[in-house]
Amino acid sequence: EAVRELSGLSQLGGWGLLELAVASGVAAWGTWATLLMPGFRRVPLRLQVPFQASGPQQVANALALLRDRRGKTVDLGSGDGRLVLEAYRQGLSPAVGYELNPWLLCLSHYRAWRAGCHGKVSFLKRDLWKVNLSDCYNVIVFLAPSVKPALATKLLAELPDEARVVAGRFPFPSWTPSSTLGQGLEQVWAYDMKEVRQAS
């Protein structure tokens, strides 16, 4: 079977391969334009963060750093909702996800329904830069490094001293973590706001 496929590709020739590549590119762009771009239209380019699903170990590590905590838990840019659902399963309530992309919000609601958590968690179409976080005590941030400096300013201005911020994939460059867990792409960092403010 593999030999036949390779043979078929070789018969396409240069133009055939080029057409195949162009068609694949158009399909990828169509997926982006239809599913992922709608949530970005009103967000400045430098603050846009493409969706990238968190792996099981990333989720486990992030929630391990929030174990035994209490208070409102939010995921900024909640994507498909998996971190919010796991936070709720761990006993963190209320658990809220803020996401601009309507397709990802639909997916989040579907995942919550399948998990039996419909009505127990919240997924809201909100711009994270416009949400007031003053009542949040656990904040999950799986966002790109480009937004971390601006987000650090917002979190410092709004979060209570008792709040803990858990960052996945990339740390906050100007903050010293209270603890960390995992290695490589699975590493997460926890920051306690009182310590961050004292260090500042």
Side-chain angles (χ1 to χ4, degrees):
E1 185 66 30
V3 172
R4 283 201 299 272
E5 289 178 2
L6 288 173
S7 175
L9 284 175
S10 65
Q11 290 175 5
L12 283 175
W15 284 110
L17 289 173
L18 179 61
E19 289 174 5
L20 182 61
V22 170
S24 299
V26 169
W29 180 86
T31 300
W32 162 258
T34 305
L35 299 180
L36 300 178
M37 191 174 67
F40 285 166
R41 288 176 181 154
R42 293 180 180 149
V43 180
L45 184 62
R46 68 185 180 86
L47 298 180
Q48 293 180 5
V49 182
F51 170 64
Q52 183 179 359
S54 305
Q57 194 58 54
Q58 287 178 324
V59 173
N61 288 347
L63 272 298
L65 294 181
L66 293 177
R67 189 168 292 130
D68 299 325
R69 289 183 57 81
R70 295 290 178 267
K72 183 178 179 180
T73 300
V74 297
D75 183 7
L76 303 180
S78 55
D80 62 7
R82 64 185 66 195
L83 282 158
V84 173
L85 288 171
E86 191 57 37
Y88 177 78
R89 290 190 191 105
Q90 187 170 297
L92 294 166
S93 183
V96 181
Y98 294 121
E99 174 60 56
L100 274 177
N101 189 295
W103 298 98
L104 291 174
L105 282 170
C106 286
L107 180 57
S108 298
H109 287 294
Y110 172 72
R111 289 172 64 95
W113 173 77
R114 280 200 61 184
C117 298
H118 180 69
K120 300 174 183 176
V121 296
S122 300
F123 296 103
L124 306 175
K125 187 179 180 182
R126 302 278 170 79
D127 182 344
L128 68 88
W129 302 104
K130 298 177 181 178
V131 172
N132 188 323
L133 302 173
S134 60
D135 63 342
C136 301
Y137 290 87
N138 305 294
V139 179
I140 302 171
V141 180
F142 274 62
L143 298 175
S146 57
V147 305
K148 290 291 173 65
L151 185 57
T153 300
K154 176 179 174 64
L155 296 176
L156 277 169
E158 297 180 14
L159 290 180
D161 276 349
E162 298 80 11
R164 169 170 280 196
V165 177
V166 173
R169 298 197 185 102
F170 305 100
F172 282 87
S174 60
W175 292 0
T176 301
S178 307
S179 57
T180 184
L181 185 63
Q183 295 180 340
L185 293 176
E186 296 172 349
Q187 187 170 7
V188 294
W189 297 263
Y191 304 90
D192 292 318
M193 292 311 298
K194 187 173 183 178
E195 294 180 13
V196 171
R197 289 191 174 103
Q198 288 173 344
S200 300

